[in-house]
Amino acid sequence: MTSIDVAGTPVDTRHYIGGSRVASIETYTNTSPIDGSFLGEISRGGAHEVDLAVAAAKAAFPGWAATLPAERAAVMNRIADLVEENIEALSNIETLDNGGLIRSNRRGVMPRVGHNFRFFADWLVNHLGHPDFETRGHTNHISWDPSGVAALITPWNAPLMLATWKIAPALAAGDTVVLKPAEWTPLTASFFSDLTKRAGLPDGVFNVVQGFGAEAGAALVAHPDLSRISFTGSVPTAKSIARAAADNLTPCSFELGGKSPCIVLEDADLDLAVTLAIEQYDNAGQVCLSGTRILVHESIADAFTAAFTAKAATLVQGDPRDAATDIGPQVHLKHFDRIKGFVDRAAASGQNIVMGGTPNEELGGAYFRPTLVLEPTPGNEIVTAEVFGPVLTLQTFSTDAELIALANGTEFGLAAVVVSGNREHADRITSQLVAGTIWVNCFFVRDLRAPFGGSKKSGTGREGGTWSFDFYADVKNTVVAPTGWADSK
Ligand code: ADP
């Protein structure tokens, strides 16, 4: 079977290579984390399919690179139109495949997919550029040239949104693309391939190879014909990709994990602080940017903890297809087991789990209760490692110096949330935090013009706005002398 019915929409289970569907002899089984139900058998790609896809992307590159920015932008805007026409289908497919909330997919995630294309199309045509530099009459002109074939390796927590955050700027930059989606969530990328075809994207410009990281992913990143690798995922996988890329000196952009602080200063509005802290459970805690370490000033810690646990008790856990649900399942039983392992080991080592700490037995399957660990032992893995589930820790501090040491005291530096009622105080704190993105009295708002990425082990490089073009394109400086011209003699 090459097409499956996903919530009433047919979705192809094969690769998308050179504008055609290509099957593998081998397949793997894809199930829904909502109830473990069977979704379909997905083509399981490896080196052979990767070779086909990279060859197709390489062959399509000269043609796509030669299109005018306005032509590229027009195709990208048509892709955005089709995404917007299909928000309901895309939301349903994604929710069944990764267990994310249908209401988030409808309201925020899928509209953002369309916006990714509109934004980078507009940026290419209307904003990408730099004033020339002048050196003794010589003009230095900066341009962003297409670089070649970009390999994109993406995760399962926001599958299509995170993929298009890379696909859109790569296509805008004039690159052609081979995408390897996460094996647990192959479906929206496949459905999206058909939209690119309908939008008139030339064959071979965008390709999808499905399959496992160790097979399709590893073969892709080791391919010698890539100009770029952009990866979002875990630190160990990034290291393995970096090693493979080293042989070809393929430039890499890595957006990795986090163990970010959610800081509540003594001058914070308590209601706002609780609301923002509760949001760190979004997507069942499967958000790399989550502020999973709540750091609260000791003077308000008791009041905060009481209000936080009271509010957390009102969160509705259940089927993500129900618009009333706040917390759905984890993406996969294997990931659920990993989270449970972290929490069980925390309990065994005497950590104070004041809320949750167990699977939700009523729902069964991959549902883990929102969990809070109070004052974890410094150095315990529950407060140092990325759990990537609905598990938060709460620590108190008494001075700003103590806070900064705690906040920066991990190997990560992806994000931070700061809640404060005093602008100067907030500024003093943010200026000392090591993080790619800091939210003050808010969470998750981000302008696509702004840079995004992590410090320390949370990543290398930045994407967003011109930073994305800096990565996907070959940035060129053309220096033109004032002399030597026939008409200047
Ligand atoms: P997680 O452990 O949370 O699933 P990963 O970093 O392993 O996160 O996965 C993110 C993406 O990286 C997925 O698309 C996965 O298939 C891919 N991947 C995993 N291992 C490799 C690898 N060795 N080379 C290339 N891609 C990989």
Side-chain angles (χ1 to χ4, degrees):
M1 221 169 34
T2 54
S3 176
I4 54 173
D5 182 287
V6 187
T9 304
V11 179
D12 207 298
T13 55
R14 295 169 293 180
H15 315 290
Y16 179 72
I17 298 174
S20 301
R21 290 294 174 171
V22 174
S24 293
I25 296 166
E26 285 196 76
T27 62
Y28 71 93
T29 303
N30 184 28
T31 55
S32 173
I34 299 175
D35 52 10
S37 59
F38 174 79
L39 291 176
E41 286 293 322
I42 311 294
S43 275
R44 178 174 167 179
H48 173 64
E49 292 82 351
V50 162
D51 283 347
L52 291 178
V54 174
K58 193 176 171 184
F61 174 69
W64 183 243
T67 54
L68 294 172
E71 293 171 47
R72 296 208 285 271
V75 179
M76 291 177 64
N77 281 319
R78 285 201 295 277
I79 293 175
D81 292 342
L82 288 170
V83 166
E84 284 157 10
E85 280 170 29
N86 285 280
I87 282 187
E88 188 57 25
L90 286 166
S91 301
N92 285 325
I93 297 167
E94 199 81 291
T95 291
L96 263 182
D97 206 10
N98 89 332
L101 298 185
I102 190 78
R103 69 165 194 233
S104 308
N105 283 335
R106 282 184 184 139
R107 276 190 224 152
V109 178
M110 293 306 163
R112 183 80 163 198
V113 168
H115 190 51
N116 279 336
F117 285 92
R118 289 207 196 289
F119 170 80
F120 284 106
D122 174 62
W123 200 256
L124 169 69
V125 174
N126 296 318
H127 303 285
L128 187 64
H130 196 286
D132 289 348
F133 294 108
E134 286 284 322
T135 306
R136 288 178 275 111
H138 294 61
T139 305
N140 290 239
H141 177 71
I142 289 67
S143 58
W144 284 259
D145 290 2
S147 71
V149 177
L152 312 179
I153 311 262
T154 50
W156 42 256
N157 55 332
L160 189 60
M161 204 274 283
L162 290 175
T164 55
W165 156 248
K166 300 177 191 299
I167 297 165
L171 294 182
D175 295 355
T176 55
V177 167
V178 178
L179 170 70
K180 209 299 282 172
E183 50 268 49
W184 289 342
T185 55
L187 298 181
T188 44
S190 184
F191 184 78
F192 171 81
S193 307
D194 296 330
L195 301 185
T196 65
K197 180 117 180 160
R198 280 172 58 198
L201 191 70
D203 291 349
V205 172
F206 175 68
N207 307 273
V208 177
V209 177
Q210 304 283 12
F212 295 126
E215 298 171 0
L220 179 57
V221 296
H223 204 289
D225 289 342
L226 306 178
S227 68
R228 299 289 185 271
I229 297 170
S230 179
F231 166 75
T232 299
S234 62
V235 172
T237 302
K239 289 183 183 175
S240 149
I241 292 174
R243 275 183 221 111
D247 269 347
N248 304 305
L249 283 179
T250 313
C252 295
S253 168
F254 291 148
E255 296 173 23
L256 310 177
K259 191 73 178 174
S260 301
C262 175
I263 297 166
V264 183
L265 299 178
E266 60 269 39
D267 44 42
D269 176 300
L270 200 63
D271 284 345
L272 178 63
V274 169
T275 300
L276 291 172
I278 290 283
E279 284 180 26
Q280 310 311 313
Y281 287 129
D282 278 3
N283 208 27
Q286 300 166 139
V287 177
C288 54
L289 295 158
S290 281
T292 48
R293 294 182 298 133
I294 304 174
L295 309 180
V296 190
H297 191 268
E298 59 183 9
S299 64
I300 54 166
D302 289 346
F304 174 89
T305 309
F308 176 88
T309 48
K311 186 152 185 163
T314 68
L315 291 172
V316 179
Q317 188 164 31
D319 190 322
R321 291 168 295 188
D322 183 342
T325 296
D326 299 310
I327 299 192
Q330 309 309 137
V331 66
H332 195 278
L333 277 175
K334 277 192 187 153
H335 188 60
F336 168 89
D337 286 343
R338 187 173 174 270
I339 294 166
K340 186 170 177 306
F342 271 113
V343 177
D344 288 349
R345 288 192 298 278
S349 69
Q351 304 307 307
N352 185 13
I353 301 173
V354 292
M355 206 185 83
T358 56
N360 188 325
E361 311 78 17
E362 287 160 38
L363 297 168
Y367 295 80
F368 201 88
R369 289 186 195 282
T371 296
L372 182 68
V373 182
L374 216 52
E375 292 293 1
T377 312
N380 186 283
E381 65 166 2
I382 204 72
V383 74
T384 59
E386 186 179 42
V387 178
F388 221 64
V391 180
L392 305 180
T393 59
L394 191 151
Q395 294 162 280
T396 55
F397 61 89
S398 55
T399 64
D400 283 359
E402 202 184 316
L403 164 65
I404 297 299
L406 268 177
N408 289 338
T410 76
E411 60 173 348
F412 297 108
L414 192 58
V417 178
V418 178
V419 195
S420 169
N422 180 316
R423 189 67 199 249
E424 264 177 50
H425 192 187
D427 288 349
R428 268 203 315 280
I429 299 300
T430 58
S431 66
Q432 297 174 77
L433 294 175
V434 181
T437 303
I438 302 177
W439 284 286
V440 182
N441 291 345
C442 59
F443 181 53
F444 232 69
V445 184
R446 195 173 63 80
D447 194 309
L448 291 180
R449 291 171 293 188
F452 176 73
S455 304
K456 299 197 277 184
K457 292 281 190 306
S458 289
T460 60
R462 297 290 182 270
E463 295 189 35
T466 297
W467 287 272
S468 290
F469 287 91
D470 287 346
F471 174 69
Y472 291 105
D474 278 333
V475 184
K476 184 194 277 177
N477 179 22
T478 306
V479 185
V480 181
T483 53
W485 304 101
D487 56 4
S488 66
K489 278 181 187 159

